[in-house]
Structure formats: C-alpha cells, structure tokens
Amino acid sequence: MNDFQPYAAMPFYPGPVSIHPAVAAVLAQDYAPPRMGTEYLPLYRSVRARLQTLLGTKHDVIIGTGEGMLVLWGALKSLLKPGDTVLSVGTGVFGDGFADMAEMLSCRAVRISEPYDSTITAATLERVREAVRIHRPVLMTAVHCETPSGTLNPLAELGRLKHEMGVPFLVVDAVASAGGAPVDADAWHADCVLGGSQKCLSCPPDMSFMSVSDAAWERIRDVGYVGYDAVKPFDGAVDDVMRHPYTPNWWGVAALDAALSALEQEGLEQVFARHEAVASQCRAGLAEIGIPLWTAPDAVNSPTVTAARIPAGWTWNDWRKALAAEGLFVGGSLGPLNGKVFRLGHMGTQADAARMAMALATLQKVLGR
C-alpha cells in the first residue's frame, strides 16, 4: 500500500498508535470464514508461537478478539473466586485499578500503592513482603508500563518475591510494553502476562493476548468462568478451530502476523534500542525547551511513552488543540493526573526519530506563542 499515510503528520498519541503499513495491507485483503479456511489454524499457531517469544514464555498463549481490557478482565474473572484476597502493587492509575476490579468481583483487595510519579523500589518490595506475610493473597497484580504516568516498573524482584513466598498467581499488564521493551514472563514467575494489539504492535485496537502458565490453567478450569472475556473456552483452541468460543478474527490475527513479521525483520534487540533512543531523544528535547517530566528523578521512565507536565499558562484542552492544529497529536492522562499531564506515545510506528524531531520543534513553536 504505497499510498498509506499515518493519521497525522506527527502521530504521538499513546495508543491506539498509527498502524503499520504492512498491517494496513493485510487488513485490505478478504479472508474466508475462519472455520472454513484451512489456512487459519496454522496462522493462529504461528502467531501464538511468536507471541510466546515476545512475552518471554514457554507456556501457552491465547489470542482473543477485543482490545486490551478484554484480557485484564478475563484474567481476573478466570482466576478468582468471590472472597479471594488480591494484592495489587500499583504505581499509577492502572496498577491501582486492578484492586478496584478485584473488588467489583467480590474479592478482598489489599493495596500497595506508591506515588504516581514513581516506580517499584526496594522499599516497595518490603511493603509487599509484609503484606503477603499478613494477608496471604491468592493473586498479585502489577503493571509493567504504567502508561498514564510514563513509567516502566522493574518486575524481576517482585516476581522473585512472589515465587519465594508462595503466592499462587501473578498477573502482569504489559499492554503498553510488549513489543517495545523486553518482557520476561517466565523469569518474572508471572502466570498471566497481558498484551494488546494497539500499542507497540501498531495494529487496530481489536485484539488482545495473554500468556497462561500451567498452574493458571489448573485454576482456570477449577473456577470455570465462561463469559465472553473468559480464558477457559480457549482450552485446546490451538489444536481445533472449532474450539474457539466465538468467530475467530482472521483479519486481527493476520494483522498481528504482519506486525510480528515487521518486528522480527528489524530484530527485537534493534526494536528495543529504537524505542529507548527515541524515548531519550524525547526527554532530552523536552528538557531543552523547558517542559518538565511528570516522573520523579529516581523513577524508571518508559521507552514507549513519556509523561510531561502541561506548561504553565495552558489548560490541557488549549494545549491539545494548539498542538493538533500543527499536526502533532498527543494524549492527556487519567485519574489524578488528568489536566496536569500530557503524554507522547513513542511506541511501535511512532518510535521514529525524524518525527520526534519534528514534534519537539512543534512543541517549542507552540510554547513560544
């Protein structure tokens, strides 16, 4: 598709991102009904295997139709029973949101909540250790990339603590990091790592995926939840297309296939380096023009999204409109950060040095008015 163009001259919205040209090309094709087309199941199996590599796991991976919230709800509903204790480790809106979701499922939520400009530290881990000792949770949750805050949580030590203290399950939201930063589900002792198509994979927001450990499968079969967002109906789906619980999305899986092919062609290490380089370019450029980051000095900044403070004298709405008028699309933030923070999503196709240079020049131009 030689005539494919991004949605804006400078697309830096923190998801959905501008789709990859190779993704646009496969979406323009027509496909047979998946349960009739003999090519679908081999495609599903191939994408599943490559997602295992992306998520750093040897365990099962399921692929569902629906954006990232599908697997966030699906994981909790499939693993939890009413009255279970959930320990959420949060450094932002989404991390603390896991606790809210657990309470909606009639579970008991114990919150380890850090300031929203921070990331997990040794002190956080000590709080987690004490909470596990006292409350003996069935499940622990964490977010890898806390998108509203522009941070990336180090999870290796948290996973080690989970393993050492015998917490049965760990669920990790990696929706905004998978494909833009290393994800190591098995090294983190994570039972379910959750991803979505619309961030670093540069696809439309219609697919989600999650790793499922052997222990998680046992629990999922015991819980028996079978709603649309459930994991259980995918048991055995990799072997039989008729086991898929709803009409398989050939277009969505083909888009994931094209996105993964593009990442593999570039090389994952090179992809991660590109994201880091553009993130560093972004943060250095913001400092040069006098726009402070939201994150605390000792926090780990994400390679896929940068959160900065809205400049003095501007409201979020006026700032957004002024930038959009110049062709630069950025995002606001959520919860207590709403109206205080704007975000540049440099993930997937948007991790682009030339466009970032244009964006920084535009920020400086608008700031100078």
Side-chain angles (χ1 to χ4, degrees):
M1 295 186 65
N2 294 329
D3 59 346
F4 176 80
Q5 295 292 328
Y7 67 82
M10 293 167 284
F12 284 103
Y13 195 78
V17 306
S18 180
I19 64 173
H20 194 283
V23 169
V26 299
L27 291 173
Q29 299 178 31
D30 203 7
Y31 299 94
R35 290 177 172 135
M36 297 290 292
T38 56
E39 302 90 350
Y40 176 76
L41 196 54
L43 174 67
Y44 182 92
R45 289 172 178 158
S46 172
V47 170
R48 170 186 174 271
R50 292 147 77 197
L51 287 172
Q52 288 174 309
T53 299
L54 196 73
L55 298 178
T57 185
K58 294 181 180 178
H59 292 291
D60 197 5
V61 170
I62 67 163
I63 308 168
T65 300
E67 73 92 45
M69 287 303 299
L70 181 85
V71 287
L72 268 70
W73 279 112
L76 296 187
K77 291 179 181 179
S78 298
L79 287 167
L80 292 171
K81 298 178 180 181
D84 282 344
T85 297
V86 175
L87 175 61
S88 71
V89 183
T91 60
V93 174
F94 292 153
D96 284 348
F98 266 129
D100 298 334
M101 294 165 72
E103 289 179 337
M104 292 178 198
L105 299 177
S106 300
C107 293
R108 173 174 173 252
V110 177
R111 292 170 168 82
I112 301 295
S113 183
E114 298 287 13
Y116 284 10
D117 60 351
S118 67
T119 45
I120 292 171
T121 64
T124 311
L125 296 174
E126 285 305 310
R127 294 178 63 197
V128 172
R129 184 180 298 278
E130 183 67 5
V132 170
R133 186 186 65 78
I134 294 171
H135 300 287
R136 309 308 303 176
V138 170
L139 186 149
M140 188 157 62
T141 63
V143 173
H144 191 208
C145 175
E146 187 64 68
T147 326
S149 300
T151 53
L152 191 78
N153 275 308
L155 295 179
E157 292 300 321
L158 181 68
R160 188 173 295 113
L161 186 155
K162 172 259 184 186
H163 180 65
E164 290 174 355
M165 298 196 72
V167 178
F169 305 107
L170 171 61
V171 171
V172 172
D173 172 353
V175 171
S177 57
V183 174
D184 297 301
D186 291 353
W188 297 340
H189 301 283
D191 297 276
C192 296
V193 172
L194 321 175
S197 58
Q198 74 272 24
K199 302 284 189 176
C200 302
L201 297 185
S202 307
C203 295
D206 63 350
M207 301 297 290
S208 53
F209 46 89
M210 62 182 283
S211 65
V212 187
S213 71
D214 294 344
W217 266 124
E218 290 184 18
R219 174 73 172 187
I220 287 162
R221 292 170 187 137
D222 178 48
V223 171
Y225 173 64
V226 292
Y228 182 87
D229 51 1
V231 179
K232 185 176 184 293
F234 283 90
D235 197 358
V238 72
D239 297 315
D240 182 0
V241 72
M242 297 305 294
R243 297 290 297 275
H244 287 245
Y246 42 74
T247 303
N249 185 347
W250 198 323
W251 284 263
V253 176
L256 288 173
D257 179 60
L260 291 166
S261 295
L263 293 183
E264 291 160 2
Q265 185 174 1
E266 184 177 353
L268 278 181
E269 293 304 319
Q270 287 73 25
V271 169
F272 299 152
R274 170 167 55 86
H275 280 79
E276 286 283 3
V278 176
S280 295
Q281 176 189 5
C282 179
R283 294 191 291 267
L286 290 173
E288 188 174 336
I289 60 179
I291 296 179
L293 298 182
W294 161 254
T295 47
D298 58 349
V300 181
N301 288 288
S302 172
T304 61
V305 59
T306 292
R309 297 180 184 273
I310 295 172
W314 290 86
T315 66
W316 157 238
N317 204 39
D318 288 342
W319 181 241
R320 173 185 64 84
K321 288 181 178 179
L323 297 177
E326 299 288 338
L328 173 56
F329 281 64
V330 301
S333 197
L334 306 170
L337 282 63
N338 183 33
K340 301 176 183 177
V341 169
F342 77 99
R343 297 175 295 152
L344 293 108
H346 35 74
M347 58 184 78
T349 55
Q350 298 176 184
D352 181 279
R355 281 205 175 97
M356 179 56 73
M358 293 170 57
L360 292 167
T362 301
L363 288 166
Q364 185 173 28
K365 176 183 176 181
V366 173
L367 192 61
R369 290 176 183 171

